[in-house]
Amino acid sequence: MVACSGKRRRRTATTHAGRDSSSWASLAEDLVSLIGWRVLAGDVRDYICFRAACHHWRSCTASPCGRGVVVPRFHPRRWMMLPEGNGLYPGHGKLRGFVRFFNLSTGAFVRLRLPIARDDHRILDSVDGILLLQRNRDTAVRLLHPFTGDIVDFPPLDTLLPYMGRRSEEYLRDVAAASITPSADDDQAVLLMIWLSRTVRVAFAASGDRQWRVSSWSMYQAYTPLPFQGKLYMLDQATAYGGPEVLQIDPPLQLQLEGTTELSLPPPKSIAKCPARTPDSFFLYHLVECDSDILLVTFGVSVYAQISVYRLADLISGTTVPDQGTFNVSKGDQGMADETEVGIDGVSESTACKDGDVACEKSFSQAGHGPACENGP
């Protein structure tokens, strides 16, 4: 009787589990869609796993496949490619086609197989988590979404050689900053801006173009560029003393001229003034991104280095008081960061797979926790 009761309890538990699973799979379409958008707002990789849970959830939510690059909400913004060190560049034989990525918000690691990294390509930069690649045989620029595999093609970089001060292809790979913005006329097109370190102009093009265009204006004193929400921000130091200006470069404009669409890049505009240098207090300035804000970090060059943090929004409104305060760091303490080691347990490995328009990731923890998400029916 005890054995029979145990079997009955197990059968009942299995039945309840099946009912629970069935109830989740039969959620209303609008509710599944709403949950999906909430998940996507946090992380596109979680959204891909969410869609892979079952056929119903997948059919109620928008697929990122084919639109991972052209639609900004599908960009893996908080993911960055992790340098391996020890000369192990992406595509190195010892990596066997794998590349590791690091989540800036959660600290999670994933390892993806990117066959294109072993092919005739070189990784130049990362824009909102999208990899900026150069195909070596013809210097063509390509944008790759690491989690969906979507690729968007742009003109070869060697079309910029006439604008280089010293005509070397090595200089074409020195990308200081790049930004992506969707096209206003074509929902399948992307506009790309690139600022090369060896040039004083900004190059721009639309996906599918045959050659790059360059800005009609030049920048000779600009530095510390930062891409943010499809725009480029940088500092312009006109004088030795006084604070530099913060410049903003908007995305290219699409102009309709005689039945054709022409791109034009608006000139940079000054949007804020940084705290001024003085002969007694000399600062270094840097623009950095923090969540949804741009911060200006000043670093005083003295025996006791003074670090101040300002929000760009405050500088635009005229507020010059540090938002995050001011910190004094002695020269002897600055080397501590070089000796700090961060240990993360349970580093996960991830592989991306596709089944039709299904894109799912199966994550396996080194600690043996099993798959984090599996392909549904």
Side-chain angles (χ1 to χ4, degrees):
M1 293 294 292
V2 174
C4 293
S5 299
K7 291 181 179 179
R8 187 178 298 110
R9 282 196 297 269
R10 288 194 295 271
R11 190 182 305 113
T12 303
T14 303
T15 302
H16 287 313
R19 291 175 181 173
D20 292 341
S21 176
S22 176
S23 62
W24 280 106
S26 60
L27 289 176
E29 292 187 9
D30 56 348
L31 181 58
V32 174
S33 178
L34 178 60
I35 296 174
W37 291 129
R38 295 290 183 90
V39 174
L40 179 60
D43 183 21
V44 67
R45 184 170 172 270
D46 291 339
Y47 177 75
I48 292 174
C49 291
F50 174 83
R51 296 188 71 250
C54 68
H55 176 76
H56 177 63
W57 290 8
R58 190 158 56 248
S59 63
C60 297
T61 51
S63 173
C65 295
R67 298 186 294 171
V69 177
V70 298
V71 179
R73 64 170 175 259
F74 292 136
H75 291 179
R77 301 182 184 278
R78 303 304 296 169
W79 290 93
M80 65 171 290
M81 189 177 63
L82 186 70
E84 297 292 341
N86 300 320
L88 297 179
Y89 54 87
H92 194 283
K94 291 185 177 180
L95 298 179
R96 297 178 296 174
F98 286 96
V99 178
R100 288 199 297 169
F101 289 83
F102 175 71
N103 190 295
L104 300 175
S105 298
T106 65
F109 285 90
V110 297
R111 194 173 70 145
L112 298 177
R113 182 182 293 275
L114 293 180
I116 197 172
R118 302 186 64 177
D119 297 336
D120 185 31
H121 288 80
R122 175 176 295 194
I123 299 177
L124 303 179
D125 198 3
S126 177
V127 188
D128 292 338
I130 304 295
L131 297 183
L132 180 67
L133 309 177
Q134 176 195 273
R135 190 165 54 198
N136 293 331
R137 67 174 181 269
D138 57 2
T139 72
V141 172
R142 316 183 80 187
L143 293 177
L144 169 66
H145 194 298
F147 297 139
T148 67
D150 295 334
I151 296 178
V152 177
D153 292 312
F154 286 86
L157 281 176
D158 59 11
T159 60
L160 291 174
L161 284 176
Y163 305 98
M164 306 294 294
R166 302 174 66 179
R167 301 190 178 188
S168 171
E169 291 190 3
E170 281 296 323
Y171 294 160
L172 295 177
R173 299 167 178 166
D174 193 3
V175 176
S179 69
I180 305 172
T181 185
S183 172
D185 295 339
D186 187 352
D187 58 0
Q188 294 298 319
V190 180
L191 306 179
L192 177 62
M193 285 192 295
I194 295 180
W195 185 26
L196 301 177
S197 299
R198 305 285 179 168
T199 63
V200 295
R201 298 184 181 184
V202 176
F204 58 99
S207 55
D209 285 352
R210 295 189 175 182
Q211 71 176 50
W212 291 90
R213 301 172 177 87
V214 296
S215 60
S216 59
W217 37 265
S218 303
M219 297 182 300
Y220 293 94
Q221 302 293 332
Y223 62 101
T224 184
L226 176 70
F228 184 76
Q229 297 182 354
K231 303 175 182 179
L232 288 178
Y233 295 84
M234 56 198 67
L235 300 179
D236 182 63
Q237 183 64 51
T239 59
Y241 296 107
E245 295 181 339
V246 181
L247 303 181
Q248 174 184 303
I249 302 177
D250 293 327
L253 300 175
Q254 296 176 285
L255 306 177
Q256 297 293 335
L257 300 175
E258 299 180 356
T260 62
T261 302
E262 293 292 335
L263 294 181
S264 175
L265 193 64
K269 54 185 178 183
S270 176
I271 59 174
K273 187 78 173 180
C274 298
R277 293 178 175 133
T278 66
D280 298 328
S281 60
F282 190 83
F283 295 110
L284 300 177
Y285 301 86
H286 297 277
L287 291 176
V288 297
E289 177 184 353
C290 181
D291 293 333
S292 58
D293 285 328
I294 297 179
L295 303 181
L296 172 71
V297 180
T298 64
F299 186 85
V301 181
S302 62
V303 176
Y304 289 93
Q306 189 180 69
I307 302 175
S308 300
V309 181
Y310 306 82
R311 293 177 65 247
L312 178 59
D314 293 338
L315 295 178
I316 294 176
S317 64
T319 303
T320 58
V321 177
D323 179 70
Q324 303 295 332
T326 300
F327 312 93
N328 292 321
V329 181
S330 67
K331 290 294 184 180
D333 295 335
Q334 294 178 24
M336 293 177 61
D338 296 335
E339 301 177 1
T340 303
E341 295 183 358
V342 179
I344 300 178
D345 296 330
V347 177
S348 62
E349 300 182 357
S350 170
T351 60
C353 62
K354 293 186 178 180
D355 180 13
D357 70 337
V358 181
C360 71
E361 293 179 354
K362 296 181 179 179
S363 300
F364 300 90
S365 172
Q366 291 182 352
H369 298 300
C373 67
E374 295 183 356
N375 195 0

